């Protein structure tokens, strides 16, 4: 900034016509010294012309919109107001063109462009700023100085001298020139400043730009410092960590290795960035807490869990069908249909490995092989196996995990299972799904929905882990004794496979081929030495057990094996078990003569058949008439459906009283009491309809019922016998209880099609109407009363 370089020519000495030099990207102001590069022939001619004359030229800025390509600037691209300048120096550039140093001396406006002698020239009229009262200008000067001061103190790009020099200046135009030379303006902004008409306007505009400048500078500074901060954070953390190390070393709390090892482990953990960040937070927390504190223990436990989980560790499936079939057959006798379904399932996985895997659910009485089938499937697929029993689980946290804030918090059972299985795709048998409970601690079955739902279980959220875990690769197999207590939405997600009780023949085979071998293996006996004959096994099944499955039988066989082991150890001799000596080892036969089941003929007592989660069973129904007022009494913990079917039976009896020779007044002057013994066990269902009617009519007519019959069938008010469930189990129960006949609805006939092993040894009488039942079971009245009791 210098304005004393040359003697300023006064206005009279300025020629009217001056050569034009267009300037790109810059507006030159009076008092400003600027170097310019000129390469256009025509313009260079103008420069030479000026040098020979007054050395004065006229600088005109080209508009922003002008094409900057050389020589392309037309006169219409130039602004009309420009700066009269004097050429201070000229240097020729070897490659062509010239470099000139110019200083602005005043402003001028184009009157007319003249293009003569190949030189671009213009008629220029000098213009001056309208000067204002200093009083008027003072506020503007003050604001400019204030902004300048602010810039200086907040450490902006302007040098601190800027503010110091400015603060001493008084002349408005000098102030304007000074500030101007520090601003970075666009051509348009510069031109606007050049064209202002008064001093006041000039100061005002300068203030405006200065203010803008400081704002831009402030934003830039902010961005810069943000970036710096982000970079510094990592450095800072490192630095703090090092310091902490030093402090802890001083304190003798040197657990650095632990932290370092964890950080290293975390790096190689195959988990998402999100999870890594959460784990890192916990590692940092561990580092911050005293190593022996409770909190550190909690955090350490947590981290141990995280590192122990098999995040991405999978076993490969063996999907060979032949191999699967061999294993299923080797582990289990019979169960043809069930095995077929399992092989179907494996075949589907063969074709589409990552496809939707249905959740199989085995439903059936205890001891029928549900859990052990699950284990077999795991073995045949080559997956690791884990069993989770939900029996009696009432707390949601058992499934979803406890929050870590609880003392002794643990992950839920599924995460625990995954860790134990040490594979992220184990086969998990969910045992006793039907025994899941719920209470004030939440509803575990809702959590189970989440576990089993293929839509959500790929990011299962365990409260303890606090990060999602993928359960979708697990193969779930559920087991249950009954479907009734499984909540509907949960049941919808399951593919139900029913297992029923075994016949005696099947039990004998299972015992010989599997149970005995297992027991021998477990007791360490010599397989050659022990034999348990078929007769003994039959004896066990018939007289020591009364079950649908084979669990009790398995226990007895084990007991015999351990007796054998004892004999070998104590006396070095082996035992030959037979029907004669078996009571010595197992105690008296428990079911030899079951007083519960009567095979005689009694008034008012009929044998029904029930189907429970424990398999089929005999359900005795008793009815008596007692003097009263026509009420119906029902006892024995009957459910609503069963009560209603009792009422229907009574109504049917009353409606058809005449046919059985009963007077209606009998119903009015007596109460009818129906009792279903084993009063502590809840019973429900409509299938005892015909059994109740038999008992009612027997007690009213005094005709005894033939107790060799067991019956099952729902009764409607027209006397039709309707379909019931669980017939196979019921027939097996009747056989177990040594009854001769089962009366069942004709509509169920197909249930036992091709099931000779079930129907062998018992007569099944298919009925459509209750009259057929009554005809068979109601005996004529015995004349000789003394013989009856
Ligand atoms: N068909 C079979 N062949 C061979 N062994 C069998 C068969 N069915 C059951 N078992 C054996 O009987 C025992 C009991 O079976 P398991 O524990 O699987 O019963 P479960 O159906 O799961 O019963 P629960 O409903 O009580 O859980 C097991 O040792 C099992 O191997
Ligand atoms: Mg089981």
């Amino acid at each position: 900034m210098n304005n004393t370089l040359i003697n300023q020519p006064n206005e009279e000495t300025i020629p009217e016509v001056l050569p034009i030099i267009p300037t790109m990207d810059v507006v030159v102001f009076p008092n400003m010294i600027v170097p310019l590069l000129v390469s256009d022939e025509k313009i260079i001619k103008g420069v030479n012309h000026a040098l020979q004359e007054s050395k004065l030229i006229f600088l005109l800025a080209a508009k922003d919109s002008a094409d900057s390509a050389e020589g392309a600037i037309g006169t219409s691209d130039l602004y009309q107001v420009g700066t009269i300048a004097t050429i201070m120096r000229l240097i020729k550039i070897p490659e062509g063109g010239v470099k000139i140093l110019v200083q602005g001396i005043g402003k001028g406006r184009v009157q007319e462009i003249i293009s003569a002698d190949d030189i671009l020239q213009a008629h220029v009229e000098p213009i001056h700023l309208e000067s204002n009262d200093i009083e008027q200008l003072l506020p503007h000067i003050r604001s400019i100085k204030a902004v300048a001061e602010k810039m200086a103190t907040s450490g902006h790009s302007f040098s601190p001298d800027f503010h110091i020099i400015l603060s001493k200046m008084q002349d408005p135009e000098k102030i304007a020139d000074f500030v101007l030379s520090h601003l970075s303006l666009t051509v348009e902004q510069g031109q606007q400043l050049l064209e202002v008409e008064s001093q006041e306007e000039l100061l005002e505009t300068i203030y405006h730009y200065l203010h803008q400048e400081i704002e831009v500078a402030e934003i830039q500074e902010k961005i810069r410092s943000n970036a710096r901060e982000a970079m510094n954070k990592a450095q800072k953390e490192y630095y703090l960590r090092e310091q902490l190390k030093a402090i802890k070393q001083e304190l003798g709390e040197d657990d650095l290795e632990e932290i370092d090892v964890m950080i290293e482990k975390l790096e190689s953990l195959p988990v998402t960035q999100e999870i890594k960040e959460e784990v890192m937070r916990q590692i940092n927390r561990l580092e911050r807490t005293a190593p022996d504190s409770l909190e550190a223990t909690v955090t350490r436990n947590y981290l141990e869990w995280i590192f122990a989980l098999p995040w991405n560790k999978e076993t490969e499936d063996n999907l060979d069908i032949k191999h699967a079939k061999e294993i299923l057959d080797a582990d289990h006798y019979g169960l043809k249909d069930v095995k077929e379904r399992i092989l179907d399932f494996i075949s589907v996985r063969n074709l589409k490995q990552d496809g939707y895997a249905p959740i199989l659910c085995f439903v059936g009485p205890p001891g029928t092989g549900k859990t052990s089938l699950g284990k077999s499937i795991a073995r045949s697929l080559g997956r690791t196996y884990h069993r989770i029993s939900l029996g009696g689980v009432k707390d949601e946290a058992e499934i979803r995990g406890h929050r870590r804030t609880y003392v002794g918090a643990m992950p839920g059972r599924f995460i625990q299972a995954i860790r134990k299985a040490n594979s992220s795709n184990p086969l998990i048998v969910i045992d006793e799904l039907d025994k899941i409970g719920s209470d004030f601690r939440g509803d575990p079955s809702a959590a189970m929905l989440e576990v089993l739902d293929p839509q959500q279980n790929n990011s299962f959220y365990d409260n303890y882990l606090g990060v999602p875990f993928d359960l979708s690769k697990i193969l779930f197999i559920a087991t249950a004794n009954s479907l009734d207590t499984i909540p509907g939405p949960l049941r919808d997600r399951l593919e139900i496979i029913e297992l029923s009780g075994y016949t005696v023949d099947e039990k004998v085979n299972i015992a010989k081929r599997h149970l005995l071998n297992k027991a021998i293996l477990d007791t360490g006996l010599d397989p050659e030495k022990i034999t348990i004959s078929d007769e003994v096994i039959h004896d066990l099944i018939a007289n020591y057990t009364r079950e649908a499955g084979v669990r009790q039988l398995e226990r007895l066989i084990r007991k015999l094996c351990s007796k054998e082991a004892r004999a070998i150890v104590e006396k070095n001799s082996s035992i030959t078990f037979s029907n004669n000596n078996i009571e010595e080892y197992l105690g008296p036969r428990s079911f030899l003569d079951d007083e519960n089941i009567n095979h005689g003929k009694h008034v008012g007592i009929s044998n029904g058949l029930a189907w429970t989660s424990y398999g089929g069973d005999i359900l005795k129904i008793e009815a008596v008439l007692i003097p009263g007022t026509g009420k119906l009494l029902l006892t024995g913990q009957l459910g609503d459906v069963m009560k209603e079917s009792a009422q229907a039976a009574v109504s049917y009896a009353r409606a058809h009283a005449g046919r059985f020779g009963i007077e209606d007044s009998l119903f009015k002057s007596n109460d009818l009491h129906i009792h279903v013994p084993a009063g502590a066990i809840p019973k429900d269902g409509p299938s005892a309809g015909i059994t109740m009617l038999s008992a009612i009519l027997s007690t009213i007519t005094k005709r005894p019922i033939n107790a060799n019959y067991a019956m099952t069938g729902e009764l409607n008010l027209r006397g039709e016998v309707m379909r019931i469930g669980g017939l196979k189990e019921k027939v097996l129960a009747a056989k177990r209880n040594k009854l001769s006949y089962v009366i069942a609805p004709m509509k169920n006939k197909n249930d036992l099609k091709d099931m000779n092993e079930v129907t062998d040894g018992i007569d099944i009488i298919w009925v459509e109407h209750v009259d057929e039942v009554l005809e068979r079971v109601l005996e004529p009245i015995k004349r000789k009363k003394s013989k009856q009791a």
Side-chain angles (χ1 to χ4, degrees):
M1 166 80 213
N2 196 332
N3 56 2
T4 54
L5 264 176
I6 347 180
N7 304 327
Q8 297 228 350
N10 57 35
E11 210 144 287
E12 286 81 63
T13 60
I14 297 175
E16 268 182 34
V17 176
L18 289 173
I20 297 176
I21 298 188
T23 59
M24 309 288 300
D25 308 326
V26 62
V27 175
V28 180
F29 292 94
N31 293 331
M32 221 186 227
I33 298 175
V34 180
L36 294 174
L37 205 62
V38 184
S39 53
D40 186 72
E41 281 300 319
K42 208 169 164 186
I43 309 294
I44 293 177
K45 264 190 187 167
V47 170
N48 286 331
H49 179 77
L51 282 175
Q52 284 156 22
E53 309 251 324
S54 59
K55 289 192 176 173
L56 292 179
I57 47 167
F58 189 48
L59 302 172
L60 273 183
K63 291 176 189 169
D64 252 354
S65 55
D67 192 343
S68 60
E70 192 118 2
I73 302 168
T75 48
S76 60
D77 291 328
L78 299 173
Y79 285 107
Q80 295 292 300
V81 174
T83 307
I84 300 164
T86 170
I87 301 173
M88 295 162 68
R89 194 177 294 165
L90 179 138
I91 301 164
K92 282 211 167 86
I93 299 171
E95 287 81 26
V98 293
K99 193 172 182 180
I100 49 172
L101 194 64
V102 298
Q103 180 180 24
I105 55 168
K107 297 199 286 184
R109 185 188 302 276
V110 173
Q111 295 297 53
E112 188 189 356
I113 301 248
I114 313 161
S115 200
D117 300 337
D118 256 359
I119 302 174
L120 186 64
Q121 301 186 88
H123 255 284
V124 180
E125 177 208 3
I127 45 175
H128 301 280
L129 274 186
E130 179 192 317
S131 49
N132 300 85
D133 225 0
I134 188 76
E135 293 295 311
Q136 215 172 331
L137 298 178
L138 265 181
H140 295 289
I141 293 175
R142 250 182 246 131
S143 345
I144 288 177
K145 286 186 175 176
V147 176
E149 189 179 349
K150 191 172 160 199
M151 285 174 103
T153 49
S154 60
H156 278 295
S157 44
F158 290 2
S159 79
D161 296 345
F162 173 75
H163 154 64
I164 296 167
I165 295 169
L166 190 66
S167 64
K168 291 183 185 144
M169 295 171 102
Q170 299 302 331
D171 182 62
E173 276 187 56
K174 291 237 172 82
I175 288 176
D177 285 344
F178 180 69
V179 174
L180 235 159
S181 63
H182 282 79
L183 291 178
S184 45
L185 298 175
T186 64
V187 170
E188 207 174 311
Q189 290 171 332
Q191 188 66 31
Q192 200 186 342
L193 263 174
L194 197 65
E195 289 181 18
V196 296
E197 284 168 3
S198 67
Q199 288 178 332
E200 190 183 6
E201 197 186 341
L202 177 68
L203 290 179
E204 211 173 290
T205 317
I206 282 182
Y207 171 76
H208 173 71
Y209 287 141
L210 194 59
H211 199 266
Q212 223 169 30
E213 184 97 356
I214 193 174
E215 261 176 15
V216 169
E218 260 169 14
I219 291 171
Q220 275 177 343
E221 179 57 29
K222 209 165 165 185
I223 293 171
R224 223 175 295 133
S225 80
N226 277 353
R228 213 178 306 135
E229 236 167 63
M231 205 181 64
N232 283 353
K233 206 178 153 208
Q235 285 176 338
K236 196 168 126 195
E237 256 177 36
Y238 172 77
Y239 177 70
L240 288 176
R241 214 181 283 289
E242 289 298 309
Q243 266 189 337
L244 196 67
K245 260 189 204 178
I247 294 172
K248 286 202 166 184
Q249 248 161 2
E250 280 302 307
L251 288 173
E253 297 174 349
D254 196 359
D255 57 352
L256 299 167
E257 234 171 66
E258 183 189 17
I259 301 286
D260 287 346
V261 168
M262 281 183 179
I263 293 177
E264 219 164 85
K265 269 195 204 165
L266 177 62
E267 260 152 36
S268 58
L269 208 62
V271 295
T272 61
Q273 193 54 34
E274 248 179 307
I275 297 180
K276 277 191 180 171
E277 275 165 24
E278 168 63 22
V279 177
M280 196 59 217
R281 257 194 293 280
Q282 298 301 327
I283 294 179
N284 284 336
R285 163 184 254 200
L286 178 61
E287 199 175 15
R288 269 183 272 119
T289 42
D292 300 328
S293 66
L294 182 65
E295 198 191 338
T297 315
V298 168
T299 315
R300 202 173 284 125
N301 274 346
Y302 169 75
L303 290 166
E304 198 206 321
W305 266 101
I306 291 283
F307 292 125
L309 284 177
W311 289 94
N312 242 346
K313 202 164 155 189
E314 285 179 39
T315 56
E316 204 174 311
D317 282 350
N318 180 350
L319 295 171
D320 182 0
I321 288 288
K322 210 171 130 240
H323 166 82
K325 193 166 159 30
E326 274 166 18
I327 289 201
L328 291 178
D329 284 338
D331 289 353
H332 292 93
Y333 174 84
L335 299 172
K336 206 166 140 259
D337 292 350
V338 178
K339 287 177 186 168
E340 287 293 309
R341 297 267 304 264
I342 295 170
L343 292 177
D344 290 351
F345 170 82
I346 296 176
S347 306
V348 170
R349 283 200 85 76
N350 246 312
L351 296 182
K352 193 157 169 39
Q353 291 220 21
D354 54 351
Y356 161 73
I359 294 152
L360 300 183
C361 178
F362 297 137
V363 181
T368 44
K370 299 179 296 295
T371 307
S372 73
L373 265 175
K375 206 169 181 173
S376 267
I377 297 174
R379 197 156 83 92
S380 71
L381 288 175
R383 288 204 184 200
T384 48
Y385 162 86
H386 193 85
R387 191 178 78 99
I388 293 176
S389 177
L390 293 185
V393 167
K394 287 183 177 164
D395 188 350
E396 199 176 335
E398 294 255 12
I399 299 191
R400 248 197 262 271
H402 294 276
R403 276 170 218 292
R404 289 197 295 281
T405 42
Y406 284 88
V407 176
M410 284 276 271
R413 297 215 185 176
F414 286 88
I415 295 297
Q416 291 186 33
I418 290 267
R419 180 177 174 179
K420 286 207 192 98
N422 196 22
S423 144
S424 62
N425 68 337
L427 182 146
I428 293 186
V429 168
I430 305 171
D431 238 347
E432 315 203 61
L433 188 59
D434 53 337
K435 314 266 187 329
I436 198 168
S438 76
D439 65 6
F440 62 94
R441 283 168 297 186
D443 183 0
S445 65
M448 279 308 297
L449 274 184
E450 227 178 286
V451 170
L452 297 181
D453 188 346
Q455 314 284 338
Q456 333 183 18
N457 68 6
N458 57 0
S459 55
F460 175 71
Y461 188 88
D462 184 283
N463 289 326
Y464 183 85
L465 284 195
V467 293
F469 195 94
D470 185 0
L471 298 183
S472 67
K473 288 174 287 180
I474 299 175
L475 191 60
F476 292 107
I477 291 190
T479 83
N481 289 131
S482 124
L483 284 179
D484 301 345
T485 50
I486 303 179
L490 202 51
R491 198 170 2 162
D492 275 355
R493 284 171 174 70
L494 306 172
E495 186 171 327
I496 307 292
I497 297 183
E498 278 186 27
L499 281 84
S500 45
Y502 294 115
T503 61
V504 173
D505 257 4
E506 284 171 327
K507 286 184 184 177
V508 172
N509 275 306
I510 293 172
K512 287 204 301 193
R513 293 172 200 217
H514 298 277
L515 305 182
L516 186 57
N517 292 344
K518 269 200 280 183
I520 290 172
L521 218 64
D522 289 354
T523 41
L525 292 172
D526 184 351
E528 303 289 311
K529 289 212 176 118
I530 180 163
T531 43
I532 298 180
S533 66
D534 282 11
E535 287 74 44
V536 171
I537 293 176
H538 269 286
D539 200 358
L540 296 179
I541 295 169
N543 301 324
Y544 281 95
T545 67
R546 188 133 297 166
E547 58 174 355
V550 292
R551 177 157 301 130
Q552 201 66 18
L553 182 60
E554 184 175 29
R555 197 169 300 142
L556 291 170
I557 290 176
R558 271 173 204 280
K559 201 164 172 186
L560 290 181
C561 285
S562 57
K563 294 286 177 202
E564 169 88 12
R566 173 113 180 254
I568 289 175
V569 172
E570 260 184 13
K571 300 178 211 146
N572 201 17
S573 69
S574 76
I575 311 171
T576 315
F577 296 108
S578 76
N579 298 46
N580 298 327
N581 66 5
I582 197 149
E583 289 202 334
E584 265 176 57
Y585 303 104
L586 299 179
R589 296 176 168 82
S590 4
F591 297 103
L592 194 54
D593 209 351
D594 190 355
E595 80 290 348
N596 191 33
I597 310 302
N598 60 80
H599 294 274
K601 293 170 181 175
H602 296 279
V603 171
I605 302 178
S606 58
N607 290 327
L609 287 167
W611 179 37
T612 70
S613 54
Y614 298 99
D617 206 354
I618 302 287
L619 187 75
K620 273 205 303 180
I621 293 187
E622 306 170 344
V624 286
L625 265 187
I626 39 179
T629 56
K631 282 198 299 276
L632 174 63
L633 281 165
L634 296 168
T635 53
Q637 281 231 49
L638 312 187
D640 285 345
V641 178
M642 200 157 184
K643 281 183 188 159
E644 282 169 9
S645 87
Q647 266 152 4
V650 173
S651 299
Y652 184 85
R654 258 182 103 161
H656 298 268
R659 269 174 45 208
F660 300 98
I662 307 165
E663 288 187 19
D664 196 53
S665 59
L666 198 80
F667 288 100
K668 288 183 187 144
S669 55
N670 289 289
D671 289 345
L672 185 62
H673 184 173
I674 298 178
H675 178 64
V676 186
I681 302 164
K683 311 164 191 81
D684 204 1
S687 73
I690 60 171
T691 324
M692 295 210 226
L693 182 62
S694 307
I696 293 165
L697 286 175
S698 163
T699 194
I700 295 176
T701 59
K702 304 273 186 296
R703 288 167 65 180
I705 290 177
N706 183 339
N708 273 321
Y709 286 91
M711 57 194 108
T712 176
E714 183 178 348
L715 179 70
N716 71 14
L717 288 176
R718 278 161 302 169
E720 288 160 350
V721 180
M722 303 197 304
R723 227 186 127 72
I724 46 86
L727 186 58
K728 183 181 167 195
E729 298 292 341
K730 289 175 174 175
V731 172
L732 289 175
K735 273 167 73 171
R736 272 203 299 278
N737 288 285
K738 306 185 184 84
L739 300 182
S740 319
Y741 308 96
V742 168
I743 299 177
M746 182 66 89
K747 297 195 169 74
N748 281 89
K749 196 166 179 180
N750 270 338
D751 293 8
L752 297 187
K753 215 170 139 200
D754 302 330
M755 284 202 199
N756 293 336
E757 74 278 7
V758 176
T759 51
D760 269 359
I762 194 154
D763 273 343
I764 305 204
I765 295 136
W766 304 104
V767 297
E768 284 177 318
H769 197 274
V770 71
D771 286 352
E772 300 165 54
V773 180
L774 299 171
E775 218 166 88
R776 276 188 173 262
V777 300
L778 289 182
E779 303 265 318
I781 300 180
K782 285 257 162 88
R783 288 293 156 217
K784 288 181 196 164
K785 271 201 165 177
S786 55
K787 270 203 171 176
Q788 193 195 322

